[in-house]
């Protein structure tokens, strides 16, 4: 099939030429090609339901997709939500069922007739330790095991983890979660009659320690995820040992496509927490071949190096080759698409947060006279926080960022209350603890109560906001998620705000987006002695509709006279324009970033935000992309387009990660650091972050491209 050929073409390009034997003995790799784009907002949920721990995704022969989640948080015990959700291929919910039947729904499979099989790996109150077979309509057709009974005999289970149905109807169940009794594979006939079992606790060939998942290849071989032993064991259907593979990581979930493409979800590698995790190996989904064990591609988890068991546990693949990750701890469903030109929109998941700085703040002992002058200029009381101290690593950047920062926080037309509402909501959306910690006290001084601070985290739909302040928070959510503002929200704000207030409201969100993107990626930590933190008991969420079509008429009419439209638009508000210009001037005139990389970051950010004016200017007379050897079509197609060199891909990944994840991943940071010094990395970050601000503002104000300017390219059909 084309999927396997395409993935292995990438492997060839990456010189993955090791032999099958060497692959089988190698440690898992973190440096494989990553050809997938990720979205974290796929799948319609029943009214009033949020994702709980997602445990399984199983596409059916008719193209529908089953998703299993644990009702609420990480358990179905005593809950009324349905754990089984059935979708069409577009993510529309078709049906749900299973209310009150499960304690700890776990692994699943779909047989050739479209029936769903699901294990319950918990037990309480007369429920659990069973395997269920459901018809496509949700009718129970068979159960294996005794409800609520844990045991080791032929008719009972202890925490069954997964189930597989062979083409002849035989049933295979992996039995025992962590610290379970059995550590076995149990085989039944298609009518549920016990045939045999194999496995015992241990680490030798054929022995098991937490058999967590099972799948079958086209030859009928069984692939068992022997999780605590950090390996896949391969058996024949009578339990005969064939081989063990360690190159796919610590297997929590396994899926094998019809063409024998093998997908293995590793949700636990990283620091050893006492469960024998693979130290130094990143979490994620590794993709290769069940035929020979070669690993060709990798989907890195968004928290790939944390000690928490955070990545996808279950993995599923639909007929188009889209890969789905079932994420337990973060309680989300991820969808990964090959070669998608658009990254997922921001806000699909709570942004990751560093707990240590990547770039250390410049201590006072390291300050020169220039540093002291800058601190005195922008912080008259001399109390520089970690944000400013980090920026002091590049003194020119301080002059690039701080004038507008001071304007937004002190001199704009917004009331202190509304200003701090927007700043805190933006910090919350981007997961920036430094912004929240520093501005919570300022917000209280502006009259916001402790309850209102919590409501800012809850968002515009929280009870208690008046319609105008709800619209104000909605502005922040829409700018973050869509890089634009819909007509209804603009109209609601226009009822009380004049043009200056509207522009200041937009620019408050966009500036603190820039600041948060920078501080997230640099790892800026809250200042010592500042105790406010973002509330951890409020679920993360973004309240934004689908992005509306681009504006055909400007909301803020550009002024008359010479110059390009963006300059004439901001010239309508001279006080704002003077402060704002310093950031773009730094990026385009003072930064030492290679102009080619600068334009790559600007154009990719403009594409991600769908800011056509920005695109037109930087393809055209401002950026002159083609003169720098850049093909606009390839920039639109993104890092997976053909022809980029390896470092070009790193640059484009950085832009996409900042847009989608509000953060540059460890993988991309390390790749940047392999070529760039710290100053150049920071310059790359400010380039993409500043032009995120510009793109959001252009879209919100409706700045129109000039006649004859180059529009977005039309992407070729795939």
């Amino acid at each position: 099939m084309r999927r396997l050929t395409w993935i292995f073409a990438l492997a060839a390009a990456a010189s993955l030429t090791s032999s099958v034997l060497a692959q089988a003995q190698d440690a898992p790799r973190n440096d494989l090609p990553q050809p997938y784009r990720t979205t974290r907002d796929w799948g319609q949920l029943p009214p009033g339901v949020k994702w709980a721990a997602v445990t399984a995704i199983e596409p059916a022969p008719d193209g529908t997709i089953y998703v299993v989640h644990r009702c609420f948080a990480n358990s179905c015990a005593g809950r009324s939500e349905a754990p089984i959700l059935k979708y069409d291929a577009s993510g529309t919910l078709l049906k749900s069922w299973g209310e009150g039947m499960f304690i700890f729904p776990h692994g699943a499979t779909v047989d050739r007739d479209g029936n769903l099989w699901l294990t319950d790996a918990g037990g309480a109150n007369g429920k659990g330790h069973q395997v269920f077979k459901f018809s496509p309509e949700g009718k129970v057709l068979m159960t294996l095991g005794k409800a609520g009974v844990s045991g080791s005999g032929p008719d009972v289970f202890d925490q069954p983890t997964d189930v597989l149905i062979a083409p002849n109807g035989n049933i295979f169940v992996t039995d025992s979660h962590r610290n379970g009794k059995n550590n076995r594979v149990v085989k039944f006939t298609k009518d549920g009659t016990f045939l045999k079992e194999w496995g015992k606790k241990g680490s030798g060939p054929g022995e098991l320690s937490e058999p967590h998942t099972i799948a079958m290849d086209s030859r009928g071989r069984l692939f068992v995820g022997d999780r605590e032993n950090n390996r896949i064991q391969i058996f024949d259907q009578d339990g005969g040992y064939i081989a063990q593979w360690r190159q796919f990581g610590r297997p929590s979930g396994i899926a094998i496509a019809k063409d024998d493409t093998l997908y293995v979800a590793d949700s636990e590698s990283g620091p050893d927490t006492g469960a024998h995790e693979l130290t130094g190996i990143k979490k994620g989904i590794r993709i290769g071949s069940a035929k020979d064990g070669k690993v060709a591609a990798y989907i890195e988890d968004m928290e790939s190096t944390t000690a928490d068991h955070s990545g996808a546990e279950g993995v599923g693949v639909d007929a188009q080759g889209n890969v789905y990750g079932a994420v337990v701890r973060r309680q989300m469903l991820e969808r990964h698409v090959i070669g998608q030109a658009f990254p997922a929109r921001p806000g699909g998941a709570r942004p990751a947060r560093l707990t240590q700085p990547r770039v250390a703040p410049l201590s006072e002992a390291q300050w020169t006279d220039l540093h002291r002058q800058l601190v005195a200029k922008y912080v008259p009381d001399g109390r520089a926080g970690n944000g400013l101290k980090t920026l002091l690593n590049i003194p020119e950047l301080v002059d690039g960022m701080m004038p507008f920062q001071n304007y937004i926080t002190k001199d704009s037309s917004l009331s202190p209350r509304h200003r701090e509402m927007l700043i805190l909501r933006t910090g919350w959306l981007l997961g920036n603890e430094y912004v929240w910690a520093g501005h919570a006290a300022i917000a209280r001084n502006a009259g916001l109560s402790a309850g209102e601070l919590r409501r800012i985290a809850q968002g515009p739909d929280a009870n208690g906001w008046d319609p105008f302040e709800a619209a104000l928070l909605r502005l922040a959510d829409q700018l973050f998620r869509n890089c634009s503002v819909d007509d209804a929200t603009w109209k609601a704000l226009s009822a009380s705000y004049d043009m200056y207030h509207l522009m200041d409201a937009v620019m408050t969100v966009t500036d603190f987006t820039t600041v948060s993107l920078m501080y997230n990626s640099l790892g800026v930590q809250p200042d010592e002695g500042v105790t406010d933190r973002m509330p951890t008991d409020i679920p993360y969420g973004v309240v934004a509709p689908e992005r509306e079509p681009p504006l055909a008429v400007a909301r803020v009419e550009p002024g008359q006279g010479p110059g390009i439209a963006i300059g004439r638009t901001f010239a309508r508000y001279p006080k704002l324009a003077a402060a704002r210009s310093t950031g773009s001037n730094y990026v385009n005139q003072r930064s030492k970033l290679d102009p080619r990389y600068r334009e790559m970051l600007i154009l990719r950010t403009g594409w991600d935000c769908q800011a056509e004016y920005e695109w037109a200017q930087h393809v055209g007379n401002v950026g002159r992309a083609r003169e720098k050897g850049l093909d606009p079509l390839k920039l639109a197609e993104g890092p997976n387009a053909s022809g980029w060199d390896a470092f070009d891909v790193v640059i484009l990944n950085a832009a996409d990660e900042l847009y989608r994840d509000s953060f540059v991943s460890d993988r991309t940071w390390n790749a940047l650091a392999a070529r760039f010094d710290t100053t150049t990395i920071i310059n790359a970050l400010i380039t993409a972050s500043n032009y995120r601000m510009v793109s959001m503002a252009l879209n919100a104000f409706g700045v129109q491209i000039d006649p004859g300017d180059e529009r977005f390219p039309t992407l070729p059909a795939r």
Side-chain angles (χ1 to χ4, degrees):
M1 290 176 66
R2 184 173 61 181
R3 169 176 55 229
L4 190 63
T5 302
W6 196 87
I7 290 173
F8 275 89
L10 283 173
S15 299
L16 302 181
T17 57
S18 53
S19 69
V20 176
L21 178 61
Q23 276 275 333
Q25 294 174 342
D26 284 346
R29 291 175 55 175
N30 298 327
D31 61 346
L32 294 160
Q34 298 196 42
Y36 289 82
R37 313 300 302 169
T38 298
T39 182
R40 298 184 175 94
D41 57 359
W42 186 90
Q44 174 188 13
L45 286 165
V49 173
K50 295 183 180 295
W51 285 120
V54 184
T55 66
I57 308 99
E58 295 293 333
D62 64 357
T64 58
I65 298 171
Y66 292 97
V67 179
V68 178
H69 75 144
R70 291 191 184 129
C71 301
F72 182 81
N74 199 30
S75 175
C76 284
R79 300 299 306 184
S80 60
E81 298 89 349
I84 301 168
L85 307 173
K86 183 177 181 179
Y87 294 95
D88 67 15
S90 71
T92 300
L93 183 65
L94 303 176
K95 191 176 180 64
S96 62
W97 70 84
E99 300 93 329
M101 293 181 63
F102 291 87
I103 299 297
F104 200 66
H106 202 274
T109 193
V110 177
D111 64 26
R112 288 187 168 189
D113 297 323
N115 302 307
L116 175 71
W117 298 70
L118 176 60
T119 71
D120 191 344
N125 303 319
K127 299 176 184 176
H129 300 299
Q130 287 188 290
V131 179
F132 293 84
K133 176 184 179 182
F134 295 97
S135 74
E137 292 73 39
K139 180 181 178 182
V140 176
L141 302 177
M142 182 189 295
T143 59
L144 299 175
K146 296 179 180 179
V149 177
S150 168
S152 303
D155 59 348
V156 289
F157 302 108
D158 176 60
Q159 307 172 64
T161 54
D162 203 3
V163 56
L164 169 73
I165 311 302
N168 67 359
N170 283 347
I171 306 161
F172 297 87
V173 179
T174 48
D175 187 26
S176 282
H177 208 265
R178 188 156 298 160
N179 301 318
K181 301 174 182 177
N182 294 331
N183 293 288
R184 63 180 179 172
V185 179
V186 191
K187 179 179 179 181
F188 302 88
T189 65
K190 63 182 180 181
D191 62 3
T193 301
F194 173 82
L195 288 174
K196 67 182 305 180
E197 66 176 75
W198 67 87
K200 65 177 182 177
K201 181 77 170 183
S203 58
E207 296 177 339
L208 299 164
S209 185
E210 195 184 17
H212 200 265
T213 179
I214 186 169
M216 180 181 287
D217 71 0
S218 64
R219 288 185 276 175
R221 300 182 301 171
L222 302 177
F223 286 62
V224 176
D226 187 8
R227 187 161 76 172
E228 283 196 331
N229 286 322
N230 300 309
R231 65 185 179 181
I232 296 170
Q233 291 202 70
I234 305 173
F235 300 95
D236 65 29
Q237 293 185 36
D238 289 318
Y241 173 81
I242 298 173
Q244 68 174 9
W245 289 352
R246 296 185 179 274
Q247 64 270 30
F248 286 88
R250 183 177 173 93
S252 289
I254 299 174
I256 303 177
K258 290 180 180 180
D259 62 357
D260 278 332
T261 305
L262 173 61
Y263 303 81
V264 181
D266 178 348
S267 65
E268 294 193 351
S269 287
D272 190 343
T273 66
H276 314 295
E277 294 93 341
L278 287 168
T279 302
I281 302 303
K282 293 183 177 181
K283 302 176 199 45
I285 299 171
R286 289 177 175 82
I287 304 163
S289 173
K291 295 178 180 178
D292 57 18
K294 290 183 179 178
V295 188
Y298 172 49
I299 303 170
E300 184 173 354
D301 185 68
M302 66 183 293
E303 296 179 316
S304 61
T305 60
T306 64
D308 293 312
H309 293 171
S310 58
E313 287 203 15
V315 59
V317 187
D318 67 21
Q320 288 72 46
N322 301 314
V323 181
Y324 299 81
V327 184
V328 170
R329 187 181 66 82
R330 291 197 304 269
Q331 299 175 23
M332 65 176 67
L333 174 64
E334 297 179 324
R335 185 173 188 253
H336 313 283
V337 180
I338 287 180
Q340 182 179 334
F342 293 99
R345 290 188 300 160
R350 189 188 300 271
R353 190 177 73 83
L354 295 171
T355 57
Q356 296 292 328
R358 282 171 169 162
V359 176
L362 205 66
S363 68
E364 292 190 36
Q366 298 172 283
W367 291 2
T368 65
D369 287 344
L370 175 59
H371 294 126
R372 293 186 182 91
Q373 291 168 11
L374 288 168
V375 171
K377 180 178 181 180
Y378 295 113
V379 189
D381 64 6
R383 296 169 61 185
N386 286 335
L388 178 54
K389 288 179 180 178
T390 302
L391 297 181
L392 285 172
N393 282 282
I394 308 178
E396 297 90 345
L397 179 58
V398 176
D399 274 332
M401 288 186 66
M402 289 304 297
F404 195 48
Q405 180 81 169
N406 279 0
Y407 168 82
I408 290 294
T409 56
K410 299 174 183 177
D411 297 331
S412 82
S413 64
L414 301 186
S415 70
R417 175 183 174 88
H418 287 172
R419 177 188 302 145
E420 295 306 321
M421 286 177 64
L422 289 171
I423 291 171
L424 286 172
R425 183 62 183 169
T426 304
W428 168 269
L429 291 168
L430 282 98
N432 191 269
E433 195 81 86
Y434 182 81
V435 167
W436 184 279
H439 280 268
I442 300 172
R444 284 192 293 271
N445 290 336
L448 286 154
S449 67
E452 287 175 320
L453 295 188
R454 285 184 58 81
R455 290 214 309 273
I456 289 172
Q458 291 168 335
D461 290 344
N463 292 330
W465 296 122
D466 67 36
F468 181 81
E469 291 189 335
L472 198 64
L473 295 176
R474 201 162 280 116
L475 172 87
D477 284 46
Q478 291 179 15
L479 282 168
F480 170 66
R481 184 69 179 272
N482 295 336
C483 293
S484 60
V485 184
D486 68 16
D487 285 336
T489 299
W490 191 265
K491 182 178 180 180
L493 294 174
S494 299
S496 298
Y497 273 179
D498 60 16
M499 181 193 73
Y500 305 112
H501 286 80
L502 286 166
M503 293 180 74
D504 278 335
V506 168
M507 298 311 296
T508 299
V509 175
T510 63
D511 179 60
F512 271 87
T513 298
T514 297
V515 169
S516 295
L517 293 174
M518 291 286 292
Y519 290 175
N520 282 351
S521 297
L522 296 172
V524 177
Q525 302 300 306
D527 294 323
E528 186 176 353
V530 176
T531 58
D532 284 298
R533 296 292 185 270
M534 290 187 289
T536 58
D537 60 331
I538 296 175
Y540 181 80
V542 183
V543 181
E546 289 299 311
R547 179 188 284 160
E548 290 183 346
L551 294 169
V553 177
R555 284 173 173 154
V556 179
E557 286 286 342
Q560 299 298 313
I564 60 177
I566 183 175
R568 290 184 289 114
T569 298
F570 280 102
R572 295 286 307 278
Y573 194 173
K575 184 178 178 182
L576 183 152
R580 189 202 68 84
S581 65
T582 57
S584 293
N585 287 346
Y586 175 83
V587 168
N588 289 299
Q589 299 172 21
R590 304 183 69 182
S591 164
K592 300 300 190 292
L593 184 65
D594 183 290
R596 181 174 182 275
Y597 293 141
R598 180 188 69 218
E599 294 306 317
M600 288 176 68
L601 290 165
I602 292 171
L603 283 164
R604 185 61 185 173
T605 300
W607 173 266
D608 288 347
C609 291
Q610 288 294 281
E612 194 163 36
Y613 180 89
E614 197 59 56
W615 177 272
Q617 291 298 312
H618 283 267
V619 167
N621 290 332
V622 173
R624 300 183 182 276
R626 288 186 177 87
E627 294 178 10
K628 298 174 176 64
L630 297 172
D631 179 351
L633 178 60
K634 283 177 55 181
L635 286 162
E637 290 183 312
N640 295 322
S642 62
W644 296 120
D645 69 31
F647 196 72
D648 288 342
V649 172
V650 172
I651 292 292
L652 294 172
N653 280 337
D656 284 0
E657 288 174 2
L658 284 167
Y659 170 76
R660 180 189 64 231
D661 302 328
S662 306
F663 173 79
V664 169
S665 69
D666 287 341
R667 177 189 176 97
T668 299
W669 181 273
N670 292 335
L672 290 169
R675 179 173 298 192
F676 285 169
D677 61 17
T678 298
T679 295
T680 309
I681 294 176
I682 295 174
N683 282 333
L685 293 176
I686 188 58
T687 299
S689 301
N690 179 75
Y691 275 88
R692 173 78 169 274
M693 170 174 66
V694 173
S695 294
M696 295 159 74
L698 290 167
N699 288 346
F701 299 154
V703 179
Q704 302 295 300
I705 68 172
D706 293 324
D709 279 354
E710 186 169 341
R711 307 192 78 96
F712 283 137
T714 300
L715 297 178
R718 292 187 179 274

